[in-house]
Amino acid sequence: MASPGINRLRDRAGEWWSAAWRWALMAAGLAAAVFYILEYGGANGTVAALAIAVLVVAASITRNVSMAIPLMMMPLLFVVSRVGLGGSGLSVSDVALAAAFGAAVLLGERPYSPPLRRLLLLNLIYQFATLFTVIVNPYAQNTIEWFHAWLLVSGALIVGWALGRAGQGRAALLLVIGAAGVLAVGVYIQALLQYAQGDFTAVYPTWPFPLQKNAAGCMLAFAALIVYIRPDWMRWSPRWAMLLFWAFVAAVAMTQSRQALIGLIVAIVVISVRRGGRRSPLVLLAVIPGAWLIVTMVIDQIQSQNEFNSFFTRVDWTREVYALWKLSPVFGHGLRYWYVHEWANFQPPQAELEVAASSGLMGLAGFVVMCIGILVVLWRMDPKFGTLAFAIVLSRLVQGQFDLFWVAAQVSIPFVVAGICLGAQSVDAKRITAAESTAGAAALSVDSNASGGSDRVAYH
């Protein structure tokens, strides 16, 4: 047996090693951040450096908070700026999701709940269906995107599950709302600058980082859904939630992102029907002017006869993608084929169209099975947790009917939120089971005391 002095020395050595490891990690992170700023400069270099700094801080406190990395990666899921790693085209959102996934796999609780396992299996069906196009069309972007698509769905679900199961679901969603709030402020600032000059066109925010209007609109729509549904387990004030909801809706309207508005409207209507019309009737009344705004914008584009506006551009792209699909209808031309194709150098502006052109009828069948199956699984969850999960995934699928689908942040955020709801439901189920076991044990103890109490008294 070791002496007390040796034990104390061993404990101090462990503390010194832990401190040295954290300082070394921070130093490495600082060096990497400085490198990115000097090497790339500008906004992208600064954003990448900040992302590295957040990752380093999260890693340094993982010892005390197991889900520190996934938790602190939540705001970074909104950052679509490129990090420039070896010319891979990865975004900060992709890197943040990958880091969070690694921590969730290593430190997250298992076994996974039955609903989560079903969702992972459904995504695996899609991955198997698209594996054929990876084999038939051997090029780097095809293979990379196959893994990337899996990470955006299954990886995001696992990250969300790990957070929810660790009891960090509320904190994670607060960070999501906070990040969306910063993005909304950027939209308001840009809108004020434009409106002051008499320019009332769509707003493309440039702060805190440049964003395309549809990307900004879709991500803000997700935040609007979260605060509108505000699950009871989040313990949010209804007044503040509705205030944030209208703030996010106004920001979405300023971006003039039609697919974001349509996805938000459809999700709200479906959820309101499921709830029997409960919660703010004023929101349902707002659906009418929202739908009118969308129809008006489309009619204006058609009547303008401007062949370069988004409506006519999408019509032309749809024709070209259909002609391309006919050249390889079964297995498609490969994922991200527009990076290597000689003339079809644009991403198809519709989900099923993109999947059909990329992976053919095989991939399209897998995609349809995955989407319908995921909605069914989420719909069957306890509404206390499943309502938000179903609504946010439904919103994304509806958005994808009118624009690009496989876009990093716009896919990963809804599935992370769905995973958080699954993890929170598992915690609640475990709590109920523990309470029932305690109640059963107490009842058994009472029965035992009632039947054997007289004997024990006589014995004593």
Side-chain angles (χ1 to χ4, degrees):
M1 183 176 179
S3 66
I6 294 178
N7 287 334
R8 285 196 299 271
L9 182 60
R10 185 181 301 163
D11 292 339
R12 288 183 179 179
E15 294 175 0
W16 292 337
W17 171 254
S18 177
W21 178 84
R22 285 197 293 270
W23 281 108
L25 184 63
M26 290 183 182
L30 177 62
V34 171
F35 167 78
Y36 265 96
I37 294 176
L38 295 178
E39 179 72 14
Y40 298 102
N44 286 359
T46 303
V47 169
L50 290 174
I52 292 172
V54 171
L55 178 60
V56 169
V57 171
S60 67
I61 62 176
T62 296
R63 180 181 178 185
N64 299 322
V65 182
S66 62
M67 288 294 107
I69 292 178
L71 193 61
M72 295 186 70
M73 292 301 105
M74 290 299 99
L76 296 181
L77 293 179
F78 285 79
V79 183
V80 297
S81 301
R82 303 298 174 183
V83 296
L85 289 173
S88 62
L90 290 174
S91 66
V92 172
S93 179
D94 292 323
V95 175
L97 180 61
F101 171 72
V105 169
L106 293 175
L107 304 175
E109 292 192 35
R110 278 183 289 272
Y112 297 144
S113 65
L116 177 59
R117 291 199 296 268
R118 295 188 193 105
L119 296 180
L120 297 177
L121 177 60
L122 287 165
N123 182 227
L124 187 62
I125 292 173
Y126 170 73
Q127 293 297 127
F128 176 76
T130 55
L131 183 60
F132 292 98
T133 194
V134 174
I135 297 172
V136 173
N137 301 284
Y139 56 90
Q141 290 89 340
N142 194 4
T143 304
I144 293 172
E145 181 58 25
W146 189 81
F147 288 101
H148 182 228
W150 180 87
L151 182 67
L152 292 178
V153 178
S154 288
L157 284 169
I158 291 172
V159 168
W161 154 269
L163 286 167
R165 189 66 183 81
Q168 300 289 348
R170 182 174 185 272
L173 289 187
L174 285 173
L175 287 172
V176 168
I177 296 304
V182 173
L183 178 57
V185 170
V187 171
Y188 282 121
I189 292 173
Q190 187 65 30
L192 289 174
L193 294 176
Q194 287 186 202
Y195 297 166
Q197 299 174 357
D199 180 5
F200 296 96
T201 58
V203 172
Y204 290 71
T206 58
W207 184 89
F209 46 85
L211 265 180
Q212 204 267 351
K213 65 160 188 164
N214 291 326
C218 289
M219 289 189 285
L220 289 169
F222 297 147
L225 268 179
I226 294 172
V227 295
Y228 172 70
I229 296 170
R230 69 173 195 283
D232 295 337
W233 49 274
M234 292 303 301
R235 306 187 305 277
W236 283 349
S237 164
R239 180 178 299 178
W240 280 106
M242 290 309 300
L243 180 63
L244 285 173
F245 171 76
W246 290 114
F248 286 136
V249 169
V252 174
M254 290 175 181
T255 65
Q256 298 183 22
S257 173
R258 292 187 292 271
Q259 54 265 38
L261 287 170
I262 295 172
L264 181 61
I265 289 172
V266 170
I268 288 177
V269 170
V270 171
I271 295 309
S272 297
V273 170
R274 187 182 193 187
R275 286 174 164 172
R278 298 193 307 274
R279 290 236 174 130
S280 186
L282 183 61
V283 174
L284 291 177
L285 291 176
V287 166
I288 298 174
W292 174 83
L293 175 63
I294 295 168
V295 173
T296 300
M297 287 191 293
V298 173
I299 291 176
D300 288 344
Q301 287 196 340
I302 295 174
Q303 291 179 343
S304 71
Q305 293 300 308
N306 178 6
E307 60 180 328
F308 299 108
N309 64 32
S310 61
F311 177 83
F312 288 106
T313 299
R314 280 175 168 78
V315 171
D316 291 339
W317 283 358
T318 300
R319 291 171 181 164
E320 292 182 28
V321 172
Y322 176 68
L324 178 68
W325 168 77
K326 291 192 295 184
L327 299 177
S328 182
V330 179
F331 299 117
H333 298 270
L335 308 177
R336 300 283 166 175
Y337 66 83
W338 48 90
Y339 286 129
V340 297
H341 200 276
E342 55 185 347
W343 55 268
N345 54 1
F346 55 87
Q347 185 173 353
Q350 200 272 342
E352 287 77 21
L353 197 63
E354 174 186 350
V355 173
S358 300
S359 52
L361 295 177
M362 288 289 296
L364 181 59
F367 182 76
V368 172
V369 169
M370 178 184 73
C371 293
I372 294 176
I374 286 175
L375 291 178
V376 170
V377 171
L378 297 179
W379 182 266
R380 290 177 176 175
M381 288 176 60
D382 179 355
K384 181 180 178 181
F385 303 94
T387 298
L388 174 57
F390 176 85
I392 199 164
V393 173
L394 173 66
S395 177
R396 177 56 199 153
L397 294 177
V398 171
Q399 292 171 2
Q401 304 308 305
F402 304 95
D403 198 23
L404 315 178
F405 181 79
W406 289 107
V407 182
Q410 292 163 243
V411 176
S412 60
I413 292 173
F415 283 104
V416 165
V417 173
I420 290 172
C421 296
L422 286 164
Q425 177 177 269
S426 179
V427 170
D428 188 66
K430 184 177 180 180
R431 178 187 59 79
I432 293 174
T433 301
E436 291 175 348
S437 298
T438 303
L444 182 62
S445 176
V446 169
D447 291 341
S448 176
N449 290 338
S451 62
S454 59
D455 295 337
R456 288 192 295 273
V457 171
Y459 174 81
H460 288 294

